[in-house]
Amino acid sequence: MRDAGRGEAKLLVVNHALLALTSEASLLPPFDVLVVDEAHRLEGVLLGQLERSVSRHRFEEALRLVGTGRRGGTGLAGRVRGFALPLFEDARRADVLAEVESATARVHAAREDIERFFAQVQPGGPGHEIYGRRERYRSAAELLGADLEPLERLLSHAAWFGRTLSLWSHRVADPEWVEGGPADTLAAELEHATMVWSALGADLENLAEAADRSWVYWRSAGGRGSSSTARR
């Protein structure tokens, strides 16, 4: 069986995530019988593969990655201050410290702007007992109205955090910046956070435009708060 090609195998075992991807791309060969173990989980996996969403919770998780910048804190800003900062050369230490303090201030400002944005897009009307309130929209005008400032502020925060975290990642990993060698683990975590913020900004922009007619767009409220969602 190991020597057989994927298209020649009589039995092929895949996980739910790969099975879900076959709806978007022909990753699996033709098959006669499909047996799904733990089938009750499949719907959630399929929906996760076929939707994009932006929520208060998702923004809060991204902000939590950055943290408050306090010495000894669990967030990346605090870790850059507490771990990497003493390793920077004296001439560069002040610049990095100023960037960490700027990131801390930006976290607080972003939280206020997140609340303002999701209050703006919160759907009205009665809610379903399971799904909460849900309202379909077909354009940025239906979602946001004439006031685009809350959206622009969130996109600005996403871009800023993405740039700043990427800069920190390169500095922490650069022996010319850090005396004593690169800090690979911290640099990798900073790069991961960069991708989180970049993806968040891209999804928010995509959902706000609501331009792809092969997708269905809606805004919802309930559970973890307001969100905008698109599903193919």
Side-chain angles (χ1 to χ4, degrees):
M1 183 72 68
R2 180 169 302 193
D3 294 332
R6 185 178 63 183
E8 300 174 358
K10 294 183 179 180
L11 176 64
L12 188 62
V13 180
V14 300
N15 58 26
H16 287 172
L18 183 57
L19 180 61
L21 285 174
T22 63
S23 61
E24 293 290 295
S26 299
L27 300 179
L28 298 180
F31 52 84
D32 297 319
V33 177
L34 175 65
V35 179
V36 180
D37 188 26
E38 297 283 331
H40 63 280
R41 296 181 53 248
L42 185 58
E43 180 182 3
V45 174
L46 286 169
L47 293 179
Q49 294 284 354
L50 300 176
E51 76 175 14
R52 294 179 180 176
S53 66
V54 174
S55 64
R56 279 188 176 97
H57 177 73
R58 189 175 170 194
F59 266 103
E60 184 58 40
E61 288 298 305
L63 289 174
R64 192 171 294 136
L65 286 175
V66 179
T68 62
R70 295 174 182 170
R71 186 183 300 273
T74 58
L76 291 170
R79 291 178 60 194
V80 168
R81 177 197 291 272
F83 174 72
L85 199 58
L87 302 179
F88 288 134
E89 296 175 356
D90 291 339
R92 293 164 172 169
R93 189 172 292 128
D95 291 339
V96 176
L97 182 58
E99 290 170 3
V100 170
E101 292 175 348
S102 180
T104 300
R106 190 116 190 181
V107 165
H108 295 298
R111 284 199 170 100
E112 295 179 359
D113 291 331
I114 289 165
E115 287 304 312
R116 181 181 172 190
F117 173 81
F118 284 106
Q120 181 187 42
V121 302
Q122 180 136 333
H128 189 277
E129 61 180 352
I130 297 177
Y131 300 108
R133 297 192 303 279
R134 182 173 292 184
E135 195 171 74
R136 184 174 177 179
Y137 67 95
R138 296 171 176 80
S139 67
E142 287 187 15
L143 174 66
L144 302 167
D147 185 8
L148 299 180
E149 184 182 0
L151 170 66
E152 291 170 352
R153 283 181 175 273
L154 287 199
L155 290 173
S156 175
H157 288 312
W160 190 90
F161 280 118
R163 289 194 305 269
T164 301
L165 291 164
S166 180
L167 177 63
W168 291 352
S169 175
H170 286 95
R171 286 177 176 173
V172 167
D174 187 351
E176 294 184 2
W177 265 84
V178 180
E179 296 177 345
D184 293 336
T185 300
L186 180 56
E189 293 181 29
L190 287 163
E191 191 60 33
H192 167 71
T194 298
M195 293 187 291
V196 168
W197 278 102
S198 297
L200 188 50
D203 285 346
L204 178 60
E205 186 172 12
N206 179 280
L207 289 167
E209 290 178 350
D212 190 338
R213 296 308 170 194
S214 65
W215 289 69
V216 177
Y217 299 86
W218 67 77
R219 48 187 176 174
S220 59
R224 292 177 173 174
S226 301
S227 66
S228 292
T229 304
R231 187 167 292 165
R232 189 179 293 274

